[in-house]
């Protein structure tokens, strides 16, 4: 059996980064649904993120999205984060919400548009310098809708050129995290459609570029844990965007659709050294809480990742290796299933209690009165949400 003390140590060391946009209003492709008490600016988003960290104890970093989180003074925003016990995580560039980007951003056929998009990416590196962020996370909606619309190879060259210029601007302790997505909004070709394309570009860039695996960005039936194992082996897994999907890129709470898949992914992380600090894997949430309350949903997502992590850490690896080496197919599978079937909630409650926190983070948040406080105080102004 796995050493229980070592498992608890690993759970205490776990860190999960929450997304600023997860605290704002979001919705379906047809409507954004507003909720009372939603933050009106990045400072209030950080205040909500601090509540998640207070309840869970493992979420000190918050990803920003530019221009959604643009402020006049990023130094002041960073100071505000530190005062709340937080720090700024990844800076996410946005080159998909502008009229100019209808035919693409860094892969657009027009040099002027490409330069505009590239200047935004470089602006994001400037923001990293001020906030102390290590990671520039890049996702491109670029692609084509029809055969013949543009030259596929030329678009890859434009992408490579842009990434190379941004890479050259990075500081020694900064890196690019390149995300991929199978489709949407481009339906014929997507310029970064899969892990192989992202991996190839990162390999060309150098050691400070790695791939982000968004768990909702794959075709149905894709073996995501294979991708994770491969990228870890190559030293090119930069991080996760955790969420769930039933059909496409649904951005639901992680573990909601297929908790067994989440376990299988984290089993590969655990077995390939992905939880070690030197692996450099950023465990991030990327979710849109359309109809559920924002803060409890993020807390619940963090708890889901914790539970899947605990099960992955409880796998009896010597027994698994022995069964694998003996060709014992059923025995090896049984080892995994035994770990997955373990009720780890008492273990996690124990870890939280030993850290001086409530064993039930959601209950602790609800009892604290923050939800009522923000509904009463955040009156007037424009709520944050998609595009703001």
């Amino acid at each position: 059996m796995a050493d229980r003390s070592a498992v608890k140590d690993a759970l205490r060391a776990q860190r999960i980064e929450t997304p600023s946009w997860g605290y704002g209003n979001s919705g379906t492709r047809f409507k954004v649904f507003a909720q009372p008490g939603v933050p009106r600016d990045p400072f209030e988003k950080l205040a909500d993120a601090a509540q998640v960290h207070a309840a869970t104890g493992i979420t000190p970093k918050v990803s920003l999205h530019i221009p959604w989180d643009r402020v006049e003074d990023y130094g002041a925003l960073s100071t505000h984060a530190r005062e709340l016990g937080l720090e700024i995580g990844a800076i996410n560039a946005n080159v998909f919400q502008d009229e100019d980007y209808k035919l693409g951003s860094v892969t657009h056929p027009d040099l002027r548009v490409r330069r505009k998009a590239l200047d935004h990416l470089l602006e994001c590196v400037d923001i990293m310098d001020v906030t102390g962020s290590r990671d520039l996370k890049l996702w491109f909606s670029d692609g084509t809708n029809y055969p013949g619309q543009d030259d596929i190879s030329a678009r890859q060259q434009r992408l490579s050129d842009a990434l190379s210029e941004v890479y050259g601007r990075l500081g020694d302790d900064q890196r690019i995290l390149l995300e991929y997505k199978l489709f949407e909004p481009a339906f014929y070709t997507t310029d970064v459609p899969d892990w192989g394309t992202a991996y190839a570009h990162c390999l060309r860039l150098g050691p400070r570029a790695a791939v982000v695996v968004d768990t909702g960005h794959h075709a149905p039936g894709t073996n995501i844990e294979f991708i994770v194992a491969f990228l870890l082996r190559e030293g090119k897994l930069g991080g996760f965007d955790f969420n769930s999907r039933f059909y496409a890129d649904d951005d639901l709470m992680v573990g909601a659709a297929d908790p067994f898949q989440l376990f299988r992914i984290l089993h590969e992380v655990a077995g390939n050294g992905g939880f070690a600090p030197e692996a450099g894997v950023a465990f991030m949430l990327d979710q849109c809480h359309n109809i559920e309350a924002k803060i409890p949903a993020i807390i619940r997502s963090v708890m889901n990742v914790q539970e899947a992590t605990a099960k992955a850490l409880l796998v009896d690896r010597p027994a698994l290796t022995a069964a694998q080496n003996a060709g014992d197919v059923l025995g090896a599978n049984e080892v995994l299933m035994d770990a997955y079937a373990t009720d780890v909630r008492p273990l996690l409650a124990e870890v939280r209690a030993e850290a001086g926190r409530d064993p039930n983070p959601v209950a602790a948040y609800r009892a604290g009165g923050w939800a009522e406080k923000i509904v009463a105080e955040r009156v007037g102004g424009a709520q944050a949400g998609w595009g703001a």
Side-chain angles (χ1 to χ4, degrees):
M1 288 292 293
D3 182 88
R4 195 169 187 273
S5 177
V7 170
K8 290 173 70 175
D9 287 344
L11 290 170
R12 278 189 283 265
Q14 187 174 34
R15 296 293 179 266
I16 299 171
E17 190 168 322
T18 69
S20 68
W21 55 96
Y23 299 98
N25 285 323
S26 59
T28 68
R29 286 158 181 76
F30 307 104
K31 178 171 173 56
V32 172
F33 300 99
Q35 295 183 15
V38 161
R40 296 163 294 182
D41 58 44
F43 292 88
E44 291 183 346
K45 291 178 183 179
L46 290 176
D48 285 356
Q51 294 297 309
V52 175
H53 186 43
T56 65
I58 68 164
T59 58
K61 285 191 175 183
V62 183
S63 302
L64 299 184
H65 209 296
I66 308 299
W68 297 349
D69 293 318
R70 182 169 281 147
V71 294
E72 291 185 5
D73 188 340
Y74 289 101
L77 185 65
S78 186
T79 298
H80 181 64
R82 289 194 298 272
E83 291 171 348
L84 293 170
L86 303 172
E87 57 185 295
I88 303 302
I91 302 299
N92 292 255
N94 182 325
V95 285
F96 53 86
Q97 282 189 316
D98 190 286
E99 281 293 321
D100 277 340
Y101 302 146
K102 181 170 67 175
L103 299 180
S105 61
V106 297
T107 67
H108 197 287
D110 188 328
L111 176 60
R112 179 192 65 82
V113 176
R114 295 202 301 273
R115 188 68 243 176
K116 174 180 176 177
L118 183 54
D119 286 344
H120 172 66
L121 303 187
L122 296 173
E123 174 199 9
C124 288
V125 181
D126 292 339
I127 294 169
M128 293 169 66
D129 292 341
V130 176
T131 60
S133 169
R134 177 182 67 161
D135 296 330
L136 174 65
K137 187 140 70 74
L138 302 178
W139 172 73
F140 298 101
S141 65
D142 297 33
T144 64
N145 275 2
Y146 296 98
Q149 179 181 323
D150 201 355
D151 186 299
I152 294 174
S153 294
R155 292 178 75 89
Q156 287 298 310
Q157 185 60 53
R158 297 167 198 156
L159 173 63
S160 180
D161 291 344
L163 291 174
S164 294
E165 184 168 341
V166 176
Y167 190 84
R169 167 65 182 82
L170 295 177
D172 292 341
D173 59 345
Q174 295 172 338
R175 59 182 186 165
I176 284 174
L177 299 183
L178 183 58
E179 189 174 352
Y180 59 91
K181 188 176 184 180
L182 176 65
F183 78 102
E184 191 190 46
F187 292 102
Y188 175 60
T189 63
T190 299
D191 291 329
V192 190
D194 52 35
W195 70 270
T197 306
Y199 173 70
H201 280 286
C202 289
L203 202 61
R204 180 185 294 270
L205 289 171
R208 288 176 291 120
V211 180
V212 170
V213 175
D214 185 306
T215 51
H217 284 189
H218 303 83
T222 298
N223 190 316
I224 301 174
E225 54 266 36
F226 170 83
I227 299 169
V228 169
F230 181 91
L231 292 174
L232 277 169
R233 183 177 181 275
E234 297 297 314
K236 282 296 185 181
L237 179 63
F240 288 97
D241 272 355
F242 282 126
N243 53 56
S244 283
R245 46 74 65 84
F246 287 103
Y247 297 104
D249 182 23
D250 303 337
D251 274 345
L252 300 173
M253 294 190 307
V254 59
D258 189 350
F260 185 48
Q261 180 191 66
L262 180 61
F263 163 76
R264 298 194 312 266
I265 291 169
L266 292 173
H267 164 66
E268 295 301 334
V269 173
N272 291 280
F275 287 123
E278 57 269 23
V281 179
F283 297 89
M284 302 173 284
L285 303 181
D286 179 13
Q287 302 174 181
C288 291
H289 306 291
N290 300 340
I291 57 175
E292 63 270 33
K294 316 297 179 182
I295 299 174
I298 294 177
I299 295 174
R300 182 68 257 180
S301 288
V302 172
M303 293 171 67
N304 289 349
V305 176
Q306 286 182 298
E307 290 176 16
T309 299
K311 293 181 179 186
L313 293 170
L314 285 171
V315 171
D316 188 339
R317 296 198 174 270
L320 179 62
T321 300
Q324 291 170 340
N325 290 341
D328 184 356
V329 176
L330 294 179
N333 179 252
E334 183 179 357
V335 172
L336 275 189
M337 296 310 295
D338 281 347
Y340 179 67
T342 303
D343 184 356
V344 296
R345 291 173 297 178
L347 173 64
L348 284 163
E350 190 177 315
V351 169
R352 294 175 187 127
E354 289 173 354
R357 299 185 188 276
D358 193 301
N360 187 330
V362 173
Y365 168 72
R366 288 176 174 159
W370 185 259
E372 295 78 11
K373 173 182 169 65
I374 58 178
V375 168
E377 294 182 354
R378 293 176 183 173
V379 178
Q383 291 186 324
W386 286 354

